[in-house]
């Protein structure tokens, strides 16, 4: 399949793996790139620019295909040394960066001078238009369904994607709630040039996380995520667990006066506990509603191949079937 996104990043399939804290290590990024998508290393999971340089080198050893690095611009008292992270990306020969969080405007000259393609993750049309204006090459439009930070507008992708298509000139991928061929074909129909998946990629053989995490994703349904930190205007969609129950209790008690210090225990340092140790009740970690569509733990290649085979079948059989008057009742699935 050829789209503006496959052409922009020099990849075979229009599928991107979103940056994920403590998940987006070289193993997963290389597996996604080797399977024809764009794998992404999560920059800030590497505690220093030197460690990121090593992670990029490790990924380079595992794939000769293009891969990217995620740079998340967080509101924080002590900002990470972003220029040094960008230098590590540039020196590592990485040609794709997924930015997220705050606008990457101040870093665009450095990224562009290094010949890096920038895809900025946005949760609104206005932020997408700003990304286009400051020279981003593409946008990842992240709907309300998404795992992680959906912003504060609460617009799901059925509305957000066609709105983005109406307004944007640069290509965009659909992000949030994407799991399979049906997601991809729907995203393409709504104007996207591909899709970005986060949660789905965690439940794969290569994702370098504790098996408890993968099993929890297979077990959970679309009813098992919840929004936290709304009062802080830092809303995050997470998987429900005992730690999150405690967090919600504190949020109920504090109401609008909630401060980040009040929930420090439930949000700080949780990722290594969950992803490395498999402590599933440790606290808040990002997970999308799409968890309701995750029923297995395939290899990344099996997942991506299945998506592409089924997408072709949906387009060629089901959709053209409607035009030809031969209705295929259910979207064709390679795996029941
Ligand atoms: C466990 C987890 C950690 C994430 N960490 C980050 C991150 O560090 N930076 C970032 O930009 N996005 C992060 N995300 C968001 C993903 O890149 C992606 O935008 C999101 O998962 C898409 O929604 P989906 O989960 O429905 O596919 C994370 C998502 C998950 C599930």
């Amino acid at each position: 399949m050829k789209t503006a996104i496959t052409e922009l990043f020099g990849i075979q399939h229009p599928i991107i793996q979103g940056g994920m804290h403590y998940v987006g290590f070289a193993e997963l990024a290389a597996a996604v790139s080797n399977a024809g998508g764009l794998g992404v290393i999560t920059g800030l999971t590497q505690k220093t620019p030197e460690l990121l340089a090593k992670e990029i080198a490790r990924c380079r050893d595992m794939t000769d295909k293009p891969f990217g690095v995620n740079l998340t611009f967080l509101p924080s008292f002590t900002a990470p040394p972003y220029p040094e992270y960008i230098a590590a990306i540039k020196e590592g020969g990485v040609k794709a960066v997924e930015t997220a969080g705050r606008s990457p405007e101040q870093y665009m000259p450095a990224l562009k001078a290094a010949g890096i393609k920038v895809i900025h993750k946005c949760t609104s049309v206005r932020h997408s238009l700003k990304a286009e204006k400051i020279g981003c090459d593409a946008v990842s439009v992240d709907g309300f369904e998404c795992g992680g930070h959906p912003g504060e507008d609460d617009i799901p992708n059925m509305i957000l994607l066609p709105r983005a298509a109406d307004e944007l000139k640069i290509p965009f991928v659909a992000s949030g709630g994407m799991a399979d061929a049906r997601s991809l074909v729907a995203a393409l129909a709504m104007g996207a040039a591909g899709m970005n998946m986060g949660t789905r990629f965690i439940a794969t053989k290569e994702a370098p996380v504790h098996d408890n995490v993968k099993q929890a994703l297979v077990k959970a349904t679309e009813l098992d995520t919840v929004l936290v930190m709304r009062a802080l205007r830092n809303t995050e969609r997470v998987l429900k667990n005992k730690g999150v129950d405690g967090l919600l209790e504190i949020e109920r008690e504090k109401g609008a006066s909630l401060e980040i210090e009040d929930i420090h225990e439930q949000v700080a340092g949780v990722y290594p506990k969950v992803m490395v140790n498999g402590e599933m009740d440790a606290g808040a970690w990002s997970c999308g509603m799409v968890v309701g569509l995750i029923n297995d733990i395939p290899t990344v290649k099996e997942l991506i191949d299945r998506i592409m085979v089924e997408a072709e079948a949906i387009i060629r059989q089901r959709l053209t079937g409607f035009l030809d008057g031969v209705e295929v009742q259910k979207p064709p699935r390679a795996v029941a």
Side-chain angles (χ1 to χ4, degrees):
M1 190 181 283
K2 187 170 155 180
T3 74
I5 286 295
T6 58
E7 299 312 284
L8 182 65
F9 293 114
I11 52 179
Q12 193 186 351
H13 308 305
I15 299 176
I16 299 177
Q17 167 244 316
M20 286 180 281
H21 198 36
Y22 274 89
V23 183
F25 293 98
E27 286 79 5
L28 181 61
V32 174
S33 291
N34 282 332
L38 185 72
V40 172
I41 293 171
T42 315
L44 297 188
T45 300
Q46 303 301 322
K47 300 256 179 289
T48 64
E50 294 71 32
L51 288 172
L52 176 60
K54 285 195 183 135
E55 196 67 8
I56 291 170
R58 247 170 33 86
C59 196
R60 184 86 55 221
D61 283 344
M62 291 183 236
T63 183
D64 55 6
K65 302 267 170 49
F67 60 89
V69 172
N70 168 284
L71 271 185
T72 304
F73 300 108
L74 301 161
S76 61
F77 295 113
T78 45
Y82 288 112
E84 282 91 334
Y85 275 98
I86 291 172
I89 293 167
K90 180 183 156 189
E91 280 150 29
V94 174
K95 293 293 177 206
V97 164
E98 178 200 51
T99 53
R102 291 186 169 175
S103 168
E105 186 165 12
Q106 78 180 101
Y107 304 105
M108 287 304 287
L111 292 164
K112 290 280 99 185
I116 292 168
K117 305 281 186 225
V118 179
I119 179 163
H120 186 52
K121 193 153 52 193
C122 305
T123 56
S124 71
V125 173
R126 66 186 182 285
H127 292 143
S128 303
L129 285 170
K130 174 79 195 287
E132 178 175 278
K133 192 163 160 228
I134 64 171
C136 292
D137 299 277
V139 184
S140 202
V141 175
D142 216 17
F144 183 53
E145 307 88 333
C146 74
H149 295 271
E152 310 303 325
D153 291 350
D154 302 355
I155 309 296
N157 269 333
M158 284 297 283
I159 309 300
L160 196 56
L161 298 175
R163 280 282 299 119
D166 283 345
E167 302 261 353
L168 286 171
K169 292 187 197 71
I170 54 173
F172 66 96
V173 296
S175 178
M178 304 286 129
D180 55 31
R182 297 168 298 185
S183 322
L184 177 60
V185 176
L188 296 173
M190 287 191 275
M195 68 175 176
N196 179 67
M197 298 195 296
T199 306
R200 174 66 265 200
F201 275 124
I202 306 176
T204 58
K205 292 225 162 56
E206 293 90 338
V209 301
H210 198 285
D211 194 51
N212 289 357
V213 179
K214 302 181 190 186
Q215 298 302 338
L217 294 178
V218 170
K219 211 169 125 214
T221 77
E222 63 275 21
L223 303 175
D224 292 327
T225 73
V226 66
L227 298 175
V228 297
M229 293 192 285
R230 181 121 270 184
L232 301 174
R233 291 190 65 77
N234 186 28
T235 302
E236 182 178 0
R237 185 178 298 286
V238 301
L239 191 67
K240 289 179 187 167
N241 63 55
K242 289 203 183 82
V244 169
D245 290 344
L247 193 165
L248 292 171
E249 189 57 46
I250 297 169
E251 289 196 343
R252 271 191 294 274
E253 274 167 27
K254 299 274 172 181
S257 68
L258 181 77
E259 290 181 25
I260 187 73
E261 290 74 23
D262 299 327
I263 52 171
H264 191 266
E265 192 188 320
Q266 289 81 12
V267 298
V270 170
Y271 276 81
K273 289 186 198 159
V274 174
M275 301 298 177
V276 182
N277 305 342
E279 294 171 36
M280 299 315 297
D281 287 317
W285 61 278
S286 300
C287 178
M289 284 178 168
V290 73
V291 71
L293 296 175
I294 298 175
N295 303 309
D296 62 354
I297 305 170
T299 67
V300 167
K301 184 166 163 42
E302 282 163 356
L303 176 66
I304 291 184
D305 283 352
R306 179 165 95 198
I307 291 172
M308 296 315 298
V309 166
E310 291 180 3
E312 181 166 348
I314 293 173
I315 296 165
R316 289 196 197 280
Q317 296 170 29
R318 183 168 161 86
L319 300 185
T320 59
F322 287 131
L323 296 175
D324 298 340
V326 199
E327 187 174 343
V328 178
Q329 284 300 330
K330 279 188 155 190
R333 310 294 311 268
V335 180

